Amino acid sequence: MLRLTSVDASYGRVRALRRISLHVDDGEIVTLIGANGAGKTTTLAVISGLMPAASGTITFGEQTVTNWGPSRLVRAGICHVPEGRQVFGSLSVADNLQLGAYSTGLSRQEIRALMREQFERFPRLEERRTQLAGSLSGGEQQMLALARGLMSRPKLLMLDEPSLGLAPIIAHQVMAEVQKLREEGLTVLLVEQNARAALRIADRGYVIETGRIVLEGSARDLLDNPEVQRAYLGKGYREIWE
Amino acid sequence: MAARERPHTDEAIVPNEAERHAARRRAEKLQIVAFFGIMALVPFGIGNDYYLHILIYIGLHLILATGLNLLMGYAGQVSLGHAAFYGIGAYASGILTATYGWNPWLAMLAALLLTCVVAWLVGKPTLRLRGHYLAMATLGVGIIVAVVIRQWTDLTGGSAGLTGIPSMTFFGHELTSDQDLQYYYFVWAWAAALTVLFANLVASRPGRALRALHDSELAAQVLGVDTAGFKVRAFVISAAYASIAGTLYAHSSMRFLSPTPFGFHTSIALLVMVVLGGQGTLWGPVLGAFTITLIEETLRPYADYDIIVYGLLLMVLMIVMPGGVSRALGSLIDLVRGWVPALRGGDEP
C-alpha cells in the first residue's frame, strides 16, 4: 500500500533522513521504533507532505505521491495523527471532528454519518461534544485526535506517539483501539517510543537510528532481538551493569 | 487552492450544534444592531463638535483594531507596523485626489489595491516560515513607510503635510468639512459594515480553519488546511481594513495629512487596543478602540507625562484584566446573573 524507496530529507543543511526504504502492506500494522531525534517523526512528515523529500520516491497504492501537498494526500487516503495530540483547544469536540473532514469535500450528510460513527466508537466524545477540546483529559484528547483523523476516511493511518504522556491504562486502551481499527480493515503505520507496546500489536517493525533504517523484521523477531531488547526494551541492564 | 476546497457548509453539522451556532449568530447580530443603533443616536445627545470629532476617531480606530484582530486573534500573527497600511491608505487617497484630482471613491479603491499588494508582498514570503517573522517584517515596513512619508516631500508634502484634499462625496453629495455630523455617520456606517463583514468572516468555514491553525498549526496542516495561504489572506484583509480607515482619515474634517499619525506610536496603540480589549472576540477591539482613544484624549493636557501615565494604566489594566476588558465584562455579567435569579436563563443558549 505504501512504499518509500531511498527517501532523503533534510532540515536546512542537516540531513534528517538517509535513504529510507520501507513498505506497509494492506491491512498491516507496521511500527517504526527508535530513539528521540532518530527521524521517526520526520519520516511521517515526509509521507504526509509536511516536508519535502529531497530525493527518492514514495508510492501509495498505484500512485507515485512524492512531494504531493497535504490536502491532496488526505484525499488520497493518508491520515497523519501528529505527536502530542494537537487538538484544537478553543474549538468544541464537534468542531474538531468537522475539521477532520476539511479536505475531503464530503457532503453534509456524509460528514454527519462519519461523526456518528466516531461517537459510536468513542462514546466519551459524544458526551463531551459541545465542550471545548482543550478541557478534555489527555486520554480523551488522544481519542479526539484519533477520531478527527478518521473523519477523513483514511486507508492508511499514521500515528505519531499516540501513548505519549498517557497513564499506562489509557495508553493500553489507545493501543487496543488501534488493533480494532486494523480489524476493520485499516492499515496502520505506528511510531512509538514505547517499543514494547508497539511491537506487541504490530506485524512488522523497522528500527531507525540517526536517519537510517538499521533493522527490520517481524514484530516477534524484533522483540526477541538482543540488540533491540538492550536499546529499546530496557532489558538486560542488569547483565550490562553487573 | 480555492478551487480545491469545496465549501459545503458554514455551520456545524450535528443538529444540536447547528442550533447553538445559529443562536450564537442571532445574538451576535442583535448585539451589532443594538450597538450601532446606539452609536447612531449618540450625536443627538452631544452638542459639542469636539466630542463628535473624538467619536469619529474612535470609529476609525474601531475599523483598524477590528482588522488587526482578524490577524492577531484568529491567524495568531502580530503586525508591529499596522500604521503603515493606515498611512498608505491615507496618503494614496490624499495624493490621488489632491494632486491628481481623482474622484475620492476611485482613489479609495486604488489605495486599497496598493495596500493589499504591499501586504501580500510582505506576507507571502514571511508567513511561509513558522514563528513571528511577520512581526519583524511589518516592523520594517512601518519604518520604511514612515521614512518615505517624511522624506519624499515632492509627493507627500513631508513634515509640512499634504494639503488640499477634497471632501468625500456620497452620491453626488459633498460631505463638507463644516458638517462633522455627516462625516460621523459616514465613518460609522463603514465601521458597522466592516464589523458585520468581520463577524461573518469569523463564523464561516475559513474562520474556523483560522481558529484551528491558531490552536495547532501542525494539526491544521496535517488535515490539509493551507495554513500559509490562510495567514496571508488574513493579513491582506487586515491591511485592507487599515487602508479603508486611512482613506476615511484623509477625507475627514481637517483634510490635511501629516506623518505623525502613521508612525510607530500608532502601531503600538492599535496593538494595545486589540490586546487590551480582548483579541479573538468581536467586541474586544471595539472596547479597546474606545478605551485607548479616550485615554489618549484625556491625557493630552498632561503633555510630556502622558506616555508615563499611559504605560502605567496599561500595566494596571493588564494585571487586573489579563483576558482583556471584554472578557472581564463577560465574567462580571455572569457573576451578576448568578446573584440575580431573575436574570438567569433567558438568552443563555
Side-chain angles (χ1 to χ4, degrees):
Chain A
M1 168 169 271
L2 176 79
R3 180 175 291 275
L4 274 67
T5 315
S6 41
V7 168
D8 278 6
S10 38
Y11 293 100
R13 295 172 66 180
V14 182
R15 267 181 80 195
L17 298 184
R18 292 159 196 270
R19 315 203 138 261
I20 294 276
S21 294
L22 61 83
H23 67 99
V24 184
D25 292 331
D26 272 349
E28 266 191 322
I29 297 182
V30 172
T31 182
L32 198 56
I33 57 182
N36 262 337
K40 304 183 302 268
T41 297
T42 309
T43 307
L44 294 195
V46 168
I47 298 171
S48 65
L50 295 179
M51 221 183 128
S55 65
T57 53
I58 303 172
T59 57
F60 182 64
E62 303 291 300
Q63 289 168 301
T64 303
V65 299
T66 324
N67 293 336
W68 279 18
S71 72
R72 201 169 163 204
L73 287 162
V74 170
R75 270 195 310 270
I78 294 181
C79 164
H80 179 178
V81 179
E83 184 181 348
R85 305 183 271 281
Q86 309 276 347
V87 296
F88 303 125
S90 70
L91 300 180
S92 70
V93 167
D95 276 349
N96 265 272
L97 290 178
Q98 208 182 334
L99 272 158
Y102 184 87
S103 296
T104 56
L106 294 174
S107 75
R108 261 184 98 125
Q109 277 74 21
E110 287 170 306
I111 292 181
R112 195 177 296 177
L114 265 171
M115 209 183 269
R116 215 43 350 247
E117 244 174 64
Q118 306 316 319
F119 285 149
E120 273 159 28
R121 190 188 306 279
F122 305 111
R124 290 289 289 216
L125 294 183
E126 178 158 33
E127 286 166 33
R128 295 172 190 255
R129 72 174 183 213
T130 58
Q131 278 189 25
L132 296 186
S135 70
L136 302 183
S137 74
E140 287 164 348
Q141 289 191 8
Q142 186 59 56
M143 295 298 177
L144 178 58
L146 197 56
R148 183 180 61 190
L150 294 172
M151 286 295 290
S152 66
R153 286 208 291 209
K155 296 182 190 117
L156 171 71
L157 186 64
M158 301 196 297
L159 300 171
D160 196 354
E161 306 271 4
S163 72
L164 191 75
L166 296 181
I169 183 159
I170 309 286
H172 194 76
Q173 284 171 12
V174 172
M175 289 299 176
E177 205 55 57
V178 173
Q179 259 179 316
K180 232 163 78 191
L181 285 167
R182 186 262 289 274
E183 280 159 28
E184 290 168 27
L186 218 61
T187 307
V188 180
L189 178 56
L190 177 64
V191 160
E192 261 295 346
Q193 292 238 18
N194 186 346
R196 189 190 308 277
L199 286 171
R200 269 200 196 124
I201 65 166
D203 301 300
R204 290 188 304 113
Y206 292 88
V207 178
I208 184 167
E209 259 170 34
T210 55
R212 269 181 246 266
I213 303 265
V214 293
L215 200 62
E216 62 171 295
S218 75
R220 190 71 259 157
D221 288 348
L222 290 178
L223 271 172
D224 292 339
N225 183 304
E227 271 302 298
V228 174
Q229 287 184 347
R230 186 188 56 75
Y232 304 107
L233 302 178
K235 269 189 191 164
Y237 275 105
R238 282 244 309 267
E239 290 88 314
I240 291 167
W241 291 109
E242 285 174 4
Chain B
M1 159 86 215
R4 279 196 266 129
E5 289 164 7
R6 264 154 286 177
H8 43 79
T9 167
D10 265 2
E11 325 89 279
I13 291 294
V14 178
N16 186 8
E17 199 67 7
E19 262 167 47
R20 289 166 61 97
H21 187 83
R24 225 175 14 241
R25 296 276 292 134
R26 265 200 306 278
E28 222 171 67
K29 262 180 215 150
L30 216 67
Q31 289 167 1
I32 292 175
V33 169
F35 173 71
F36 287 102
I38 291 170
M39 289 317 292
L41 296 177
V42 164
F44 296 107
I46 54 168
N48 186 323
D49 265 2
Y50 170 66
Y51 290 129
L52 205 59
H53 213 74
I54 292 177
L55 283 169
I56 290 177
Y57 278 121
I58 293 178
L60 295 177
H61 287 159
L62 188 157
I63 295 172
L64 284 160
T66 299
L68 191 56
N69 184 29
L70 186 71
L71 183 71
M72 289 174 63
Y74 295 85
Q77 290 288 326
V78 176
S79 167
L80 292 178
H82 232 52
F85 302 113
Y86 188 33
I88 294 174
Y91 270 91
S93 269
I95 291 163
L96 286 174
T97 52
T99 315
Y100 297 97
W102 283 35
N103 173 294
W105 287 92
L106 209 61
M108 182 182 213
L109 200 67
L112 192 63
L113 276 176
L114 178 66
T115 314
C116 288
V117 168
V118 172
W120 189 82
L121 287 175
V122 174
K124 188 75 179 166
T126 48
L127 288 170
R128 294 238 156 256
L129 307 167
R130 207 165 291 185
H132 284 292
Y133 290 94
L134 184 74
M136 301 308 291
T138 48
L139 189 65
V141 171
I143 292 167
I144 291 168
V145 169
V147 168
V148 167
I149 290 176
R150 228 172 258 284
Q151 301 301 327
W152 198 349
T153 346
D154 294 344
L155 192 70
T156 65
S159 307
L162 184 73
T163 50
I165 301 167
S167 308
M168 197 67 188
T169 54
F170 193 61
F171 291 110
H173 176 78
E174 249 185 61
L175 300 168
T176 47
S177 55
D178 47 332
Q179 284 284 352
D180 260 348
L181 192 62
Q182 291 179 359
Y183 209 69
Y184 171 86
Y185 281 115
F186 187 67
V187 166
W188 278 87
W190 270 103
L194 291 173
T195 304
V196 170
L197 180 69
F198 172 84
N200 285 334
L201 222 56
V202 167
S204 67
R205 199 170 101 101
R208 200 163 11 178
L210 268 179
R211 268 163 68 194
L213 79 87
H214 192 180
D215 284 345
S216 167
E217 187 163 351
L218 174 63
Q221 261 178 333
V222 158
L223 297 175
V225 177
D226 174 14
T227 53
F230 268 110
K231 284 191 279 187
V232 172
R233 270 173 271 173
F235 179 53
V236 170
I237 292 172
S238 80
Y241 269 60
S243 178
I244 291 171
T247 299
L248 293 175
Y249 179 90
H251 294 287
S252 72
S253 61
M254 290 189 304
R255 291 187 285 136
F256 163 79
L257 291 174
S258 78
T260 325
F262 309 109
F264 188 59
H265 177 80
T266 307
S267 291
I268 295 302
L270 291 173
L271 215 71
V272 171
M273 284 177 205
V274 176
V275 175
L276 183 92
Q279 53 177 329
T281 65
L282 176 65
W283 295 109
V286 176
L287 268 165
F290 269 91
T291 318
I292 296 302
T293 315
L294 290 177
I295 288 177
E296 284 187 344
E297 284 301 323
T298 321
L299 293 179
R300 217 172 270 277
Y302 301 99
D304 291 344
Y305 297 106
D306 73 337
I307 196 80
I308 298 171
V309 183
Y310 187 60
L312 277 175
L313 258 173
L314 289 181
M315 276 160 62
V316 170
L317 275 172
M318 289 320 288
I319 292 167
V320 180
M321 306 172 184
V325 180
S326 72
R327 287 199 179 88
L329 277 181
S331 14
L332 191 69
I333 290 167
D334 285 345
L335 208 65
V336 172
R337 219 177 248 162
W339 289 337
V340 188
L343 285 175
R344 235 173 273 165
D347 57 339
E348 194 70 17

